[in-house]
Amino acid sequence: MDGNLVIINAGIVTPVGNKPIKGRDMGNLKEITHGALMIENGIITYVGTMDDMPAYPDSFEVIDAAGNCVLPGFIDSHTHLIFGGYRPEEFEWRLKGDTYMSIMERGGGIQSTVNATRNATADELYKKALWFIGKMSEMGVTTVEVKSGYGLDTESELKMLDVINRLESSKDNPVNIISTFLGAHAVPSEYKGKTSEYVDLMIKEMIPTAAGKAKFFDIFTEKNVFEIEDSRKLLRAAKDAGFELKLHADEIVTLGGAELAAEMGAVSADHLLHVSDEGIRAMAEKGVVATLLPLTAFALKEPFAPARKFIEADAAVALATDLNPGSCFSGSIPLTIALACIYMGMSIEETITALTLNGAAACGIADETGSLEVGKRGDVIILAFDTYKSLPYYVGMNCVRTTVSRGRIISNK
Ligand code: NIG
Ligand code: FE
């Protein structure tokens, strides 16, 4: 049930608009001191000063936010939070010098989670996903993009998409869900050495079957996974089937994934640790959101994505966690913020825009959420501190006191 709620005595900070914010404009946030926010039936109906606030019925819930900064809910626009099993042994191998791709090439990595996910029931996957979503909502997340991609056959991918759709419509799940079909996450072991046969299966069977069951199509465009030609074929087929597009691009090596994302009119290209200057220019020109995932770079001990280059090229940057059991077993929004500010050279204001309005844009919902404006969804967070500047300063720690989704309090610590 969508809520009726007012937040009073608030210091409100928000990006503004219905579109991704590009380049240096990402640093411009609107601030209202001694403000108020009203949410009716889950939708924001007033944002402004306390003085001009309209009357509201006694039945509305009231939060006094004196001394607490109020922001839009965070959007985690890239996660793989449905999966069977865990892979702690791989983390340890990497500590000893193994690389992510060498583990994948010898049959571990994504394939290991594929085996566990194929063996898991939909109920087991659903309950596990809910647990992660609960943790994320405590950190202020009100929208989560969730990918399939650990089934890699028609039946198991459908099982994952059903779990995502069940999350989307369930009352147990407090946040907004955006669904992504990632059947092109890897070539499964039964097709090892036969990539083109798996590409054919995807085009003839998996994409048509998944069409209408997810909003986005995503692909791991990477050397020795799906290289540029196969990626282009798959993205075309997915686009023709009605999907909007995302790519895991230039994560491990420079391959031209960013350029392909621009060519295909993708909504976002994600990772981009090894993006070329040409790729940055192409994405900026075509308005592809650059979704950067600093936790993955950190966990893999790889260089961080060149956030400043994207911003200086006037591209829109989003930040997300990439929560998954392999390359990045973390959904930490606080650490994402700290890494973006400390190591990627993003200002605190840019970081907030990247995790709110630009995250919403990466999910194709910038007109519904991502900022505190009349007509948008009542997705709001209240910090435990009076300034948003505490977000990276309190390094890796959770600054969020209260999370509100569609006008309902979903976490209050
Ligand atoms: O975004 N690189 C591809 N996919 C994920 C990792 C998935 C996994 O290791 O299970 C990523 O890093
Ligand atoms: Fe990912």
Side-chain angles (χ1 to χ4, degrees):
M1 251 261 293
D2 296 336
N4 295 315
L5 174 81
V6 289
I7 301 174
I8 57 170
N9 298 318
I12 298 171
V13 177
T14 181
V16 177
N18 288 337
K19 291 206 283 271
I21 310 278
K22 294 178 181 173
R24 290 195 184 173
D25 286 343
M26 286 178 60
N28 299 334
L29 299 176
K30 179 174 171 182
E31 291 196 46
I32 305 169
T33 47
H34 202 55
L37 190 133
M38 191 181 302
I39 302 166
E40 295 180 68
N41 295 320
I43 301 293
I44 298 173
T45 52
Y46 176 78
V47 192
T49 60
M50 284 293 286
D51 292 345
D52 294 333
M53 186 186 184
Y56 54 88
D58 287 346
S59 58
F60 278 28
E61 193 161 352
V62 180
I63 301 179
D64 187 338
N68 305 98
C69 180
V70 172
L71 296 168
F74 292 133
I75 316 276
D76 193 345
S77 60
H78 182 136
T79 82
H80 308 249
L81 61 73
I82 299 178
F83 56 87
Y86 294 96
R87 286 155 41 202
E89 66 289 349
E90 289 184 13
F91 183 80
E92 224 176 324
W93 295 338
R94 290 204 306 273
L95 292 182
K96 292 181 181 147
D98 245 328
T99 65
Y100 180 77
M101 285 313 274
S102 68
I103 295 169
M104 183 166 173
E105 271 149 25
R106 57 177 199 256
I110 292 170
Q111 183 63 44
S112 155
T113 300
V114 168
N115 300 339
T117 306
R118 286 177 178 175
N119 285 329
T121 66
D123 262 358
E124 286 163 353
L125 297 173
Y126 175 78
K127 284 192 189 121
K128 198 164 157 184
L130 265 187
W131 187 83
F132 286 109
I133 289 171
K135 288 279 158 209
M136 295 165 88
S137 66
E138 291 172 16
M139 294 182 276
V141 172
T142 52
T143 297
V144 185
E145 183 260 11
V146 185
K147 301 176 197 295
S148 68
Y150 291 123
L152 307 192
D153 60 37
T154 309
E155 189 193 339
S156 312
E157 282 295 310
L158 277 185
K159 177 172 74 177
M160 291 196 74
L161 292 177
D162 285 347
V163 173
I164 299 175
N165 289 317
R166 187 172 152 201
L167 285 170
E168 203 171 345
S169 55
S170 162
K171 282 203 259 342
D172 303 333
N173 160 48
V175 303
N176 183 43
I177 302 284
I178 300 294
S179 53
T180 298
F181 170 53
L182 179 57
H185 198 185
V187 177
S189 54
E190 60 274 22
Y191 282 88
K192 196 171 164 58
K194 297 186 286 188
T195 302
S196 58
E197 285 182 35
Y198 186 65
V199 170
D200 279 351
L201 174 77
M202 283 215 57
I203 292 174
K204 294 204 178 98
E205 186 179 304
M206 292 171 75
I207 290 175
T209 313
K213 295 190 167 66
K215 175 172 180 165
F216 286 100
F217 175 88
D218 193 354
I219 181 165
F220 189 17
T221 296
E222 187 61 55
K223 189 164 183 304
N224 297 330
V225 190
F226 297 101
E227 300 207 7
I228 295 296
E229 251 331 291
D230 283 334
S231 296
R232 185 182 280 117
K233 266 198 218 162
L234 287 163
L235 288 160
R236 273 203 190 123
K239 199 172 183 174
D240 290 345
F243 287 99
E244 295 188 58
L245 305 180
K246 287 179 171 289
L247 287 82
H248 283 64
D250 302 316
E251 177 180 356
I252 312 288
V253 299
T254 310
L255 198 75
E259 290 88 330
L260 183 62
E263 175 193 319
M264 295 303 304
V267 174
S268 76
D270 303 28
H271 283 292
L272 302 163
L273 307 187
H274 298 277
V275 66
S276 68
D277 289 347
E278 187 41 45
I280 293 174
R281 264 197 302 277
M283 282 177 60
E285 194 186 307
K286 297 285 181 194
V288 182
V289 177
T291 299
L292 309 183
L293 310 163
L295 291 171
T296 312
F298 181 64
L300 292 180
K301 257 169 106 175
E302 289 283 333
F304 290 94
R308 280 262 55 91
K309 280 192 176 182
F310 276 106
I311 292 170
E312 297 313 325
D314 213 27
V317 171
L319 287 162
T321 65
D322 195 25
L323 169 61
N324 75 71
S327 64
C328 178
F329 189 40
S330 173
S332 176
I333 296 288
L335 192 54
T336 299
I337 294 171
L339 295 174
C341 291
I342 300 169
Y343 291 108
M344 293 163 78
M346 291 177 69
S347 72
I348 306 175
E349 294 78 8
E350 288 166 347
T351 301
I352 290 171
T353 300
L355 268 169
T356 56
L357 190 52
N358 283 3
C363 294
I365 52 169
D367 54 343
E368 293 172 34
T369 189
S371 63
L372 300 177
E373 293 175 88
V374 171
K376 286 209 176 180
R377 236 177 9 232
D379 298 341
V380 188
I381 56 182
I382 304 173
L383 302 185
F385 301 98
D386 64 354
T387 169
Y388 64 85
K389 305 219 184 217
S390 59
L391 284 165
Y393 168 49
Y394 196 30
V395 179
M397 299 295 282
N398 189 11
C399 290
V400 176
R401 186 192 86 176
T402 306
T403 308
V404 173
S405 171
R406 296 176 186 260
R408 273 193 320 123
I409 296 173
I410 60 168
S411 168
N412 202 11
K413 299 275 159 194

